[in-house]
Amino acid sequence: MDVNPKKFFGFQLLAVGIIWGGMTIFLDHIQGNAKIIYYVVTSWLLFILVLFIKSFFQSKEKADVVHLQEKRDTKKSK
């Protein structure tokens, strides 16, 4: 089973972003251990964001390499 990393990280980013947004609304009322959970969710959101951006640029590089190989192959066939 082949997983598309952009979709995978994109949906995780969306889901954790919604949770983080809900927690941010009530940030003034959060105390104690809940504040630690908020910071962990924030860290996880940033981590997923970095992985999403990384997968975006990797897929873009792969597409560029494939495009260059196709260009080279068409020049050879002429």
Side-chain angles (χ1 to χ4, degrees):
M1 186 168 105
D2 193 24
V3 176
N4 183 351
K6 286 195 294 187
K7 278 187 180 179
F8 179 73
F9 291 125
F11 283 123
Q12 275 197 21
L13 190 63
L14 179 67
V16 175
I18 290 170
I19 293 168
W20 182 82
M23 291 177 74
T24 303
I25 291 171
F26 298 105
L27 188 58
D28 294 336
H29 305 292
I30 294 176
Q31 298 174 6
N33 290 338
K35 201 85 135 166
I36 293 171
I37 294 171
Y38 175 77
Y39 292 132
V40 168
V41 171
T42 302
S43 299
W44 186 249
L45 182 65
L46 293 173
F47 178 68
I48 293 173
L49 181 64
V50 168
L51 292 178
F52 178 75
I53 292 170
K54 180 182 172 186
S55 70
F56 178 77
F57 283 113
Q58 282 180 343
S59 66
K60 194 172 181 181
E61 288 175 4
K62 284 181 185 178
D64 289 344
V65 167
V66 168
H67 180 69
L68 288 175
Q69 287 176 346
E70 289 173 353
K71 241 183 172 179
R72 191 175 347 139
D73 291 343
T74 56
K75 284 182 181 179
K76 285 182 181 179
S77 64
K78 288 183 180 180

